[in-house]
Amino acid sequence: MMSTEPHVEPSVAIMGLGWLGEPLAKTLQARGYRVVGTTTSEAKAGRLRREGIDALMWDINEPLPQAWPATLVAQTLVLCVPPGKVDDYAVTLGRVAMLAANAGVQRLLFTSATSVYGGLGSKTEADAAPDSTRGERMLAAEQAVHHSGIPQVLCLRLSGLVGGNREPGRFLAGRRFAGGGEPVNLVAQEDLLCFIPAILARHDWPEVLNVSAPHHPSRHEFYTRAALLRDLPPPQFDGGGEGKSIDGSALSRWLGLDYRVTDWFAWLAARKARD
């Protein structure tokens, strides 16, 4: 029997059209989504509109409006706003999410961070126990958006972000650090642009998932290789350090998708070869 229900075009609002939000918007548009988004720069909003992305200039550090902007009404809201750019991070994001809930937004995907994990050893989604101010702030933001009134909320705890214009060879080049033996926890932009559309296509969202590639070389190994490939002075490390390793396998199992980056040294070499 033919369905008589009207077709509803999937729609996504992305708050923060930056390193992740902008390429995500373009990826989703190519897959048939209606996409709108925000940026804090009117010049950038104009450029994005010229490139076909419906962008609104909105700085959430300014007093929030009484109601959610009509331009941003969508089925799903993706929050891609890093804590360094927002005053009173948890409270502000909670208020933004409540405005979205009052406007009828049904789902919220929040790009959180693995700073919510403290201590040493392997960390799964159940192990959130921050031991830093940044981690405490991020966990408070997770709790705020979960209590916003939006029916479905998924917090994606992202490991360190690389790819695009984030070149890891420049991160630590020529500097001295402790903890050279600690494992790196990273995720590449190309994996996020594969995983997030697959997440949006699902309706059985869990509350939280880690995103971290399965390869965890030491900081010394990874950042030395990354710097040398870019003809930059390698960092110097003092001592070892056990550190923590983020387990991102639950996401892969749930989606039935493997990480594209499974060897960071091969990824570094391939990135260099493409330049």
Side-chain angles (χ1 to χ4, degrees):
M1 179 182 297
M2 182 177 295
S3 172
T4 58
E5 294 183 3
H7 171 72
V8 178
E9 182 184 24
S11 56
V12 176
I14 302 174
M15 178 163 281
L17 292 170
W19 177 87
L20 175 58
E22 181 177 344
L24 177 61
K26 294 175 179 177
T27 299
L28 293 176
Q29 277 190 334
R31 297 188 180 208
Y33 284 81
R34 180 177 66 82
V35 181
V36 297
T38 74
T39 178
T40 57
S41 162
E42 184 56 53
K44 184 173 182 178
R47 172 181 66 79
L48 291 170
R49 287 192 291 267
R50 291 191 296 274
E51 294 176 1
I53 298 174
D54 192 0
L56 171 71
M57 198 280 282
W58 187 11
D59 185 350
I60 60 173
N61 285 314
E62 299 296 326
L64 296 177
Q66 294 297 309
W68 188 248
T71 305
L72 297 178
V73 172
Q75 296 162 344
T76 302
L77 171 63
V78 178
L79 280 178
C80 290
V81 183
K85 296 187 176 182
V86 180
D87 301 329
D88 206 354
Y89 190 64
V91 171
T92 300
L93 290 196
R95 289 173 178 169
V96 167
M98 288 178 66
L99 287 175
N102 293 338
V105 171
Q106 296 297 301
R107 304 195 300 173
L108 186 152
L109 184 69
F110 171 45
T111 56
S112 183
T114 55
S115 58
V116 300
Y117 300 111
L120 305 175
S122 179
K123 304 295 178 181
T124 68
E125 287 78 359
D127 297 324
D131 58 4
S132 67
T133 300
R134 178 181 174 87
E136 291 171 354
R137 184 170 59 234
M138 191 61 74
L139 190 58
E142 287 189 8
Q143 293 164 348
V145 298
H146 269 300
H147 291 93
S148 64
I150 294 178
Q152 278 189 300
V153 176
L154 169 55
C155 295
L156 278 185
R157 292 172 177 163
L158 309 185
S159 290
L161 305 173
V162 294
N165 63 2
R166 294 181 63 86
E167 169 50 56
R170 293 193 291 266
F171 287 179
L172 309 184
R175 299 159 66 191
R176 182 174 292 275
F177 296 88
E182 296 177 10
V184 299
N185 298 288
L186 300 169
V187 60
Q189 187 183 73
E190 55 259 45
D191 267 322
L192 291 171
L193 295 178
C194 176
F195 286 141
I196 292 178
I199 290 169
L200 296 179
R202 301 269 303 240
H203 299 282
D204 56 335
W205 284 10
E207 291 189 355
V208 61
L209 284 168
N210 294 335
V211 194
S212 187
H215 185 208
H216 303 277
S218 72
R219 296 176 75 215
H220 178 274
E221 293 173 313
F222 177 79
Y223 287 109
T224 297
R225 181 81 61 90
L228 291 175
L229 279 172
R230 295 290 167 176
D231 298 319
L232 295 170
Q236 302 298 311
F237 290 97
D238 299 321
E242 180 183 347
K244 62 189 175 188
S245 178
I246 307 302
D247 183 350
S249 62
L251 169 67
S252 183
R253 291 193 300 271
W254 176 59
L255 290 176
L257 291 174
D258 293 330
Y259 283 82
R260 295 183 177 188
V261 178
T262 57
D263 184 324
W264 284 115
F265 301 131
W267 180 84
L268 287 170
R271 182 174 166 88
K272 172 65 174 176
R274 286 194 300 268
D275 291 348

